[in-house]
Amino acid sequence: MAERTESSIDIDATPGAVLDVIADFDSYPSWAGEVKKVAVLSEDGDGWADQVEFTLDAGAIKDTYVLDYDWDVTEDGTGVVSWSLVTAQVLKAMNGSYTLHGDGTSTTVTYRLAVDVKIPMLGMLKRKAEKVIIDTALKELKNRVES
C-alpha cells in the first residue's frame, strides 16, 4: 500500500486553532458529515488522544474502526498529526496525516491518506475514493475552523 493521495487547503486561522478542531474528536459528528459516532479510547500523558474509535457511514462503506494517533506538534500547533489503523471490519488499512504549517494568521493543512479495504477494488478506484475523502474532510475542517 505504498501509494497515497494528498491535498492541501489554506485555512484563515492560526495552526493552534486548526489543531484544536482536529483534536476535538467528540465534535466530529457535528461537522464531519460521514462520521456518525466517535469515542476516545485512550489518551497519552499530555492529554492527546492515543486511540479513537470511529463509526463511519460513507454510503457504500460503513465501518467501525480504531485509529492510533501520533502527535508530533509544537506549542504553536504546527507539525504533524498522523494515524494508523488498529482494528476495523471493512478497512484493511488506513494510514494518514495532517501537516500544519502556519504564518501566525493562516494555516496550510496538507492531508495525506492511504486506504485499503478487505473487498477487492482497483487501485485507481481506491485513489479516487481517497481523493473524495480528503477533499471533503479538508473543506469540512476549513468550514468548522473558520465558522
Side-chain angles (χ1 to χ4, degrees), residues 18-112:
V18 175
L19 185 63
D20 286 346
V21 170
I22 291 170
D24 184 11
F25 292 106
D26 292 335
S27 295
Y28 276 40
S30 69
W31 63 268
E34 297 169 341
V35 176
K36 301 307 175 194
K37 186 177 167 191
V38 178
V40 175
L41 303 178
S42 64
E43 294 180 346
D44 68 13
D46 293 333
W48 295 107
D50 260 345
Q51 289 197 346
V52 182
E53 181 180 74
F54 294 86
T55 299
L56 177 76
D57 185 349
I61 297 180
K62 295 174 176 45
D63 202 357
T64 297
Y65 56 92
V66 175
L67 298 179
D68 187 59
Y69 280 84
D70 182 38
W71 303 84
D72 186 14
V73 292
T74 63
E75 289 281 326
D76 70 355
T78 58
V80 179
V81 178
S82 58
W83 58 87
S84 59
L85 185 67
V86 177
T87 62
Q89 298 166 5
V90 175
L91 296 169
K92 187 163 52 171
M94 179 186 274
N95 300 313
S97 66
Y98 284 117
T99 302
L100 286 70
H101 294 285
D103 64 8
T105 59
S106 68
T107 305
T108 300
V109 180
T110 301
Y111 186 177
R112 294 175 180 89

Side-chain angles (χ1 to χ4, degrees), residues 34 111 113 115 128-138:
E34 297 169 341
Y111 186 177
L113 184 66
V115 175
K128 184 172 180 157
E130 288 170 358
K131 180 75 172 143
V132 169
I133 291 167
I134 287 172
D135 288 347
T136 301
L138 286 173

